[in-house]
Amino acid sequence: MEEAILKKQDAKAAVRKKKWIDPEIGVEFSWKTIKSQKQLILMSVPILIYLVIFNYVPIWGWLMAFQNYRPALPFFKQKWVGFDQFKFLMGDDVFLQVLRNTLGMSLINLVLGFVTAIVLALLLNEIKTKIFKSTVQTISYLPHFLSWVIAAGIVASTLSVEDGIVNVVLMKLHIIKEPVMWLSIGHYFWGIVGAANVWKEVGWNTIIYLAAITSIDPSLYEAASMDGANRYQKMRYVTLPGIKATFIILLIMNVGHILDAGFEVQYLLGNGLVVDWSQTIDIFVLKYGIALGNYSLATAAGIFKTIVSIVMVLSANYIAKRLGEERLL
């Protein structure tokens, strides 16, 4: 009896050496399966090489954050300063102000980006005329293909004091008595950046929600119609729950970029009058790190962004898991 049990255990151990089962999805893998998909594996090799060279090899440069780095000196002769660069960042009033600006603009972009994309997707889904629907969708995502240099020029012209359409319309409606210098008032800057991001990216962000809506079972809409649901009730009880999983996954991914409020639009639209509201971490790194040759400080700021991003993604993923929602990891 004992010999039979031992043989059975040895057989199971031998099977484990040849194949394994993913505990999350219950899919069985084996070397035979891998060999049968060797073409796909070979196709992925260039991408893996690219990721290693450009995403993992440069990580050794993070060591500069713990040094008083000087380009002229060999690497092993650099002066090690430990966490002094990080302590300086956390105690610097300028960096804390920049961090406030970054979080503020990032949250505005996050909320407006999701709300406008979902609303536009719902409205486009209700349009039955294909030509009109395609026209609206094409017009809405064309600004995505403009560079921020061109887009910022359009925004600046729109808000111009002399002949900007915003001032002209508001004066015609008697909402304001004289032109407003929108880009010279710090309190307006975050809203302008948020509106510019919506105008440029809302159509592009809508595409994935439209794709998610097309995957909803049409029988659900038919059942809702039989129950007497109108269009708004179908949106609320069928369409929105149908795209909830997509929304959660995108939210988790975007939370990881909470400190990526942008660089181009703030750099191009910003000026000395709104510098206290326009500077982001990326501009701080360029201005006080790279431009002044303080590469250690710039690297420390980059590491800070990376750590915050990882913590935010893991936290959002854990919260989604605890709530029983779709998750990224």
Side-chain angles (χ1 to χ4, degrees):
M1 185 67 179
E2 293 181 357
E3 292 181 358
I5 294 174
L6 290 174
K7 289 181 179 180
K8 189 174 182 179
Q9 291 177 346
D10 291 340
K12 289 182 178 180
V15 170
R16 291 193 196 100
K17 292 180 180 180
K18 295 182 179 180
K19 61 183 179 181
W20 62 94
I21 297 178
D22 191 317
E24 288 287 335
I25 58 178
V27 177
E28 186 179 279
F29 296 93
S30 65
W31 291 113
K32 184 178 180 180
T33 304
I34 294 176
K35 289 180 181 179
S36 66
Q37 298 180 357
K38 59 183 180 181
Q39 292 87 355
L40 296 175
I41 296 174
L42 290 175
M43 289 172 62
S44 66
V45 169
I47 299 175
L48 292 175
I49 295 174
Y50 172 86
L51 290 175
V52 169
I53 293 176
F54 293 99
N55 291 80
Y56 290 95
V57 172
I59 290 179
W60 75 269
W62 280 11
L63 292 174
M64 287 191 296
F66 306 96
Q67 300 172 336
N68 186 15
Y69 184 76
R70 293 293 179 268
L73 295 176
F75 180 79
F76 292 102
K77 292 185 179 180
Q78 300 290 339
K79 181 181 178 181
W80 294 86
V81 295
F83 291 93
D84 287 354
Q85 302 292 348
F86 296 94
K87 293 177 181 178
F88 174 79
L89 285 177
M90 295 300 102
D92 184 37
D93 292 337
V94 175
F95 181 77
L96 295 178
Q97 186 182 68
V98 165
L99 182 59
R100 180 207 65 178
N101 297 340
T102 303
L103 288 174
M105 283 184 276
S106 184
L107 288 174
I108 291 174
N109 293 337
L110 183 66
V111 174
L112 290 180
F114 273 102
V115 172
T116 54
I118 292 174
V119 170
L120 182 59
L122 292 175
L123 295 177
L124 287 174
N125 186 57
E126 295 299 317
I127 298 176
K128 304 305 178 184
T129 306
K130 291 185 178 180
I131 296 177
F132 182 70
K133 180 179 179 179
S134 300
T135 302
V136 172
Q137 189 175 358
T138 301
I139 293 173
S140 65
Y141 72 65
L142 277 178
H144 170 79
F145 299 99
L146 297 177
S147 68
W148 266 117
V149 175
I150 299 174
I154 295 174
V155 172
S157 299
T158 303
L159 300 175
S160 174
V161 177
E162 298 178 358
D163 55 355
I165 188 172
V166 173
N167 281 316
V168 172
V169 171
L170 293 178
M171 290 179 67
K172 292 290 184 180
L173 296 175
H174 302 289
I175 297 176
I176 59 176
K177 295 181 179 180
E178 58 183 13
V180 178
M181 300 177 64
W182 300 100
L183 293 176
S184 299
I185 302 174
H187 292 83
Y188 294 152
F189 192 82
W190 292 3
I192 293 171
V193 170
N197 273 287
V198 168
W199 163 70
K200 191 173 186 297
E201 302 295 342
V202 63
W204 188 258
N205 295 336
T206 301
I207 295 175
I208 191 168
Y209 290 109
L210 288 173
I213 290 173
T214 58
S215 66
I216 299 175
D217 190 351
S219 63
L220 297 176
Y221 291 102
E222 296 174 1
S225 299
M226 294 178 65
D227 290 338
N230 55 35
R231 280 190 171 187
Y232 301 104
Q233 290 172 329
K234 290 178 183 177
M235 286 184 191
R236 180 178 178 182
Y237 297 107
V238 179
T239 307
L240 287 176
I243 64 175
K244 184 175 71 171
T246 303
F247 167 76
I248 295 295
I249 294 298
L250 290 176
L251 179 61
I252 294 173
M253 294 174 64
N254 280 274
V255 164
H257 296 280
I258 197 67
L259 292 184
D260 289 327
F263 170 79
E264 295 94 342
V265 61
Q266 290 87 354
Y267 188 78
L268 294 168
L269 294 180
N271 55 69
L273 298 175
V274 295
V275 67
D276 292 340
W277 298 83
S278 64
Q279 284 195 106
T280 61
I281 292 179
D282 294 330
I283 297 177
F284 176 87
V285 168
L286 175 64
K287 187 175 181 180
Y288 296 98
I290 298 176
L292 297 179
N294 194 347
Y295 302 108
S296 297
L297 184 66
T299 305
I303 292 176
F304 174 77
K305 281 184 59 177
T306 302
I307 293 174
V308 171
S309 297
I310 294 173
V311 171
M312 292 299 294
V313 168
L314 294 178
S315 299
N317 189 78
Y318 175 77
I319 293 172
K321 181 179 179 180
R322 295 289 295 179
L323 294 176
E325 302 291 346
E326 294 291 333
R327 58 188 187 274
L328 188 62
L329 303 174

